[in-house]
Amino acid sequence: MDIKIAIAYHKPSILLQQKHFLPIQVGKALSDQRLPIQGDDEGDNISSKNPRYCELTALYWLWKNTTADYKGLMHYRRIFTERNSFLFFRTLLRLKYKERQLASLWSPYRSMGVKKQYTCTDEKEFQRYANDFSAHLEGLLGNGTNMLVPHPGRFYISIRQFIYQHASKLFIDLLDEIVQKSFPNIYPSYKKSLDGQRLYNCNMSVMDNASFDEYCNFVFTVLAQHEEEIVSRGIIKSCSEKTYSRVPGYLGELLTNAYIIYSIHRRKKIKVLPVLFLDNVSQ
């Protein structure tokens, strides 16, 4: 089974070079860093858009420049781990969610919710989990599995209400319009995802090639139209404005969430996995 999972890097860190992993330096076209890994500035690429697109420039590069049965994206500090891991920590997360849910009754940060990710502070341990995940990937993707996705984060208000606190309503309203017009088949799932309280975050996934191609076409078509329309309508003067920095990356997270929900509605075979975060201050 041919599997390629891009690992997005923007600065030196421990290299995850396990079987099936492809470390990629994002934003290399604009960076003085020269990491000893594949750059996202070769072939068909959008490397120069990295300040806006974040790790999605690695996703685009993987989409346009590689072939594989399965493709996906993880981060140098965030990786999938094996199913059924961290049972004790899941219990702690549930308690943490309930505690924050109660505190949200009077806290101004009531929308923050709880991310479904587990923390690791030791690089060797993090490498070990990466090795284990890589070693079991073919088994996880066997039996017709279409997608691996992260445990969704849970919020106390809708994702739409949450995103309005962090991005201009005009940006989101335009996103609504573009998805409805260009992808009417996905729009109901998109609307449900924004009206819901669960977010499959981090732009992380592994998909069979057909799903990956459909997903990337959806995400990058919508984001390209958003960049074009937001300037032509005079909402901003240029996509290089600071107010638009990283915005397509965050919008991509909303679109990824919508595509996963769309795939669930189509009864694709999906496995939900824990995410492990390397919390290392030196990184």
Side-chain angles (χ1 to χ4, degrees), residues 5-9 13-18 21-23 72-83 85-86 116-120 122-135 137 140 148-151 201-206 272-279:
I5 301 179
I7 313 294
Y9 286 79
S13 183
I14 57 169
L15 279 180
L16 303 179
Q17 295 182 307
Q18 289 78 2
F21 293 0
L22 178 61
L73 176 67
M74 300 192 301
H75 307 255
Y76 75 106
R77 294 175 71 186
R78 285 185 175 88
I79 61 171
F80 287 120
T81 62
E82 287 186 76
R83 195 176 179 84
S85 298
F86 304 104
K116 286 289 188 70
Q117 65 181 20
Y118 308 94
T119 301
C120 174
D122 184 86
E123 292 184 354
K124 290 183 179 180
E125 184 182 13
F126 190 72
Q127 283 274 20
R128 180 170 62 80
Y129 279 112
N131 290 337
D132 289 344
F133 176 65
S134 177
L137 249 177
L140 287 168
L148 305 179
V149 301
H151 280 156
N201 50 345
C202 302
N203 284 321
M204 287 174 57
S205 66
V206 181
V272 180
L273 299 177
V275 171
L276 183 65
F277 171 62
L278 177 61
D279 187 8

Side-chain angles (χ1 to χ4, degrees), residues 101-259:
Q101 187 176 39
L102 179 62
S104 72
L105 296 175
W106 59 83
S107 169
Y109 301 104
R110 62 187 298 272
S111 65
M112 289 181 63
V114 174
K115 283 186 177 181
K116 286 289 188 70
Q117 65 181 20
Y118 308 94
T119 301
C120 174
T121 58
D122 184 86
E123 292 184 354
K124 290 183 179 180
E125 184 182 13
F126 190 72
Q127 283 274 20
R128 180 170 62 80
Y129 279 112
N131 290 337
D132 289 344
F133 176 65
S134 177
H136 291 88
L137 249 177
E138 294 189 21
L140 287 168
L141 293 171
N143 301 316
T145 298
N146 299 112
M147 301 167 61
L148 305 179
V149 301
H151 280 156
R154 296 177 64 189
F155 294 80
Y156 312 128
I157 58 178
S158 72
I159 301 303
R160 182 181 295 278
Q161 290 172 299
F162 171 74
I163 204 68
Y164 281 166
Q165 297 177 8
H166 300 274
S168 169
K169 184 176 183 297
L170 293 175
F171 294 167
I172 309 304
D173 290 348
L174 178 56
L175 190 72
D176 293 347
E177 182 182 330
I178 292 171
V179 174
Q180 185 173 25
K181 180 179 179 180
S182 299
F183 294 91
N185 57 324
I186 299 180
Y187 180 72
S189 297
Y190 165 85
K191 186 175 185 301
K192 183 174 181 178
S193 70
L194 283 188
D195 291 339
Q197 295 174 301
R198 292 175 180 263
L199 178 66
Y200 295 90
N201 50 345
C202 302
N203 284 321
M204 287 174 57
S205 66
V206 181
M207 304 184 188
D208 65 74
N209 189 55
S211 299
F212 186 84
D213 185 69
E214 181 181 48
Y215 160 62
C216 288
N217 180 64
F218 168 57
V219 169
F220 292 110
T221 297
V222 171
L223 293 182
Q225 290 180 14
H226 197 275
E227 285 192 307
E228 180 180 347
E229 290 289 328
I230 206 162
V231 174
S232 65
R233 297 187 186 193
I235 298 174
I236 60 175
K237 293 181 179 180
S238 168
C239 289
S240 61
E241 286 185 15
K242 187 176 182 180
T243 55
Y244 201 61
S245 176
R246 300 177 67 87
V247 167
Y250 292 128
L251 299 184
E253 201 166 16
L254 299 181
L255 297 173
T256 298
N257 193 52
Y259 184 78

